[in-house]
Amino acid sequence: MNRRVFVARSATAVGAAILPTSARDLLAAPPTDPVSGIRDVLTGTLPAPSRPSSVDSIVQATASAKRQVQACRYSQLAGKLPGLLIEFIEPRESEAEQRELDVAAVHAFHVAASLLLKAEDTASAWVAAERAMAAARRVGDPALVAAASRCLTQAVAAVGHKQQAIRIAIVAADQLSGEVSRKAPAKTAVFGALLLRGAWAAAVGGDADTSAELLDQAGRSAKLLDESSNLEWTAFGLQNVQQHRLSIALTLGNAGQALDAARKVDVTQLAVTERRAVYWMDVARALHMCGQPDKAVTALLKAEKEAEEEVLSRPVVKDLIGEMVARDRAGRLPELRQLALRAAVPA
């Protein structure tokens, strides 16, 4: 067979793979890697489309991908995202179109990095985050660079380079700080969200002082915004800052402080589904650490109600459920056993 024909047919076969469309389908289907198609794009093993889509349709598809990741529709997103990402391979002749495409690329590759991080593929997430950063630098907008830096901070910290991750966040925040004001809410939201990501990176590195300072700065920025905003896809606001105090206390190993922070969060004011689900998962982790398994199960069930896929398909949550099952040797928590069955965790 002609080599070109073979490669084309092979790529078509990869792209035609049917992915499950729900969390339960994903768990019931034969073992697959839902983010494999994203890696194919990142490694350049899929061909660019012969007829690129219009820039407008790509922008719309990117916005849809952002909505899906914030709504925790990961299996749907994993099936569609490679087809979107591959649209950014070929440059456009028009400078205006290329700029618009680069702006969309920042957000699309940010989504890819987020999905890869949730799948615990930190190396590929770093590659995706770098693609977002490259596009942001081509545009040259400090707010867009800050948005990409938020993604890159998380990916670099997840790989294990905590100090570099903190620097990424601080340098980008410093470049944007002069444009932060009540009159520039979108830039303020990006700035605050970046500070929160830097605070998380500092906590992962065990630097409680830097983490606290960045959290406080983020809190001051949040006071310039309406609480329920999701500007620039950041879900940033005062409640989001308080939620990060909960997550960061857990990261630093202080479950009691985490529960204190959790009590100050108004979950109804968290702007997106993913944030509400993560809140309840963090509460579950804190309760588990404090020896309150009954309440921890209740919190996990609330997280599942918010976002089924966030609970049933993420490795970090499966590990928590598995640890809780192992401690419940007497089987006192039947709802935990049922949850473990739904998440395909050995009970």
Side-chain angles (χ1 to χ4, degrees):
M1 181 183 289
N2 181 282
R3 181 178 180 277
R4 290 185 179 179
V5 173
F6 172 76
V7 171
R9 288 182 180 176
S10 299
T12 301
V14 171
I18 298 174
L19 287 169
T21 57
S22 73
R24 286 196 172 89
D25 288 343
L26 182 65
L27 296 169
T32 59
D33 185 347
V35 294
S36 179
I38 299 173
R39 291 193 204 99
D40 287 334
V41 177
L42 296 176
T43 55
T45 53
L46 289 183
S50 56
R51 295 185 63 183
S53 302
S54 70
V55 172
D56 284 346
S57 66
I58 293 171
V59 170
Q60 291 174 11
T62 300
S64 175
K66 295 291 283 189
R67 286 191 292 270
Q68 283 185 314
V69 76
Q70 289 192 333
C72 304
R73 298 184 188 126
Y74 304 138
S75 52
Q76 284 184 16
L77 184 56
K80 296 177 180 178
L81 195 56
L84 171 61
L85 296 177
I86 208 165
E87 294 280 1
F88 298 103
I89 291 178
E90 294 294 333
R92 301 301 169 108
E93 293 183 3
S94 162
E95 185 176 336
E97 280 197 340
Q98 183 59 48
R99 179 184 174 84
E100 195 172 0
L101 198 68
D102 281 336
V103 172
V106 174
H107 298 297
F109 282 103
H110 191 161
V111 170
S114 297
L115 204 59
L116 289 161
L117 285 167
K118 288 179 182 295
E120 298 188 349
D121 182 354
T122 56
S124 298
W126 190 346
V127 176
E130 284 286 1
R131 298 283 178 90
M133 180 59 78
R137 286 172 176 153
R138 286 195 295 272
V139 176
D141 179 356
L144 204 61
V145 171
S149 296
R150 177 175 160 229
C151 170
L152 186 58
T153 295
Q154 185 173 8
V156 170
V159 169
H161 302 306
K162 282 83 171 182
Q163 290 302 316
Q164 285 75 19
I166 297 167
R167 290 192 196 106
I168 291 167
I170 290 175
V171 168
D174 184 60
Q175 291 172 345
L176 185 60
S177 61
E179 301 182 44
V180 172
S181 73
R182 195 179 295 277
K183 294 181 180 179
K187 291 179 180 180
T188 300
V190 172
F191 176 77
L194 178 57
L195 291 176
L196 290 180
R197 196 55 52 84
W200 169 81
V204 170
D207 187 348
D209 291 341
T210 298
S211 183
E213 182 179 348
L214 292 173
L215 272 171
D216 289 344
Q217 289 184 27
R220 289 191 288 273
S221 300
K223 292 177 181 179
L224 301 174
L225 301 175
D226 292 334
E227 182 53 55
S228 58
S229 70
N230 186 24
L231 294 168
E232 297 298 314
W233 309 101
T234 61
F236 181 71
L238 284 170
Q239 294 299 321
N240 186 225
V241 173
Q242 189 61 35
Q243 181 186 10
H244 275 74
R245 293 189 186 280
L246 157 62
S247 296
I248 285 170
L250 274 177
T251 301
L252 292 170
N254 193 331
Q257 184 178 332
L259 289 177
D260 287 342
R263 295 185 185 100
K264 299 174 184 176
V265 177
D266 181 352
V267 188
T268 65
Q269 290 298 310
L270 294 173
V272 298
T273 299
E274 190 263 353
R275 291 287 87 202
R276 295 191 295 272
V278 169
Y279 167 81
W280 286 116
M281 289 190 303
D282 282 346
V283 168
R285 288 170 56 206
L287 290 166
H288 173 60
M289 291 169 65
C290 289
Q292 301 181 54
D294 297 29
K295 292 181 179 180
V297 172
T298 299
L300 280 175
L301 293 175
K302 288 183 178 181
E304 183 187 22
K305 185 177 180 180
E306 284 285 355
E308 186 180 51
E309 287 197 60
E310 185 70 23
V311 175
L312 300 187
S313 63
R314 287 197 59 199
V316 66
V317 188
K318 287 174 176 281
D319 289 345
L320 173 61
I321 294 170
E323 185 178 336
M324 291 175 66
V325 168
R327 291 193 182 186
D328 183 35
R329 295 176 183 175
R332 292 190 313 103
L333 303 170
E335 288 184 317
L336 174 62
R337 304 281 163 160
Q338 294 163 13
L339 178 61
L341 182 64
R342 293 194 295 276
V345 174

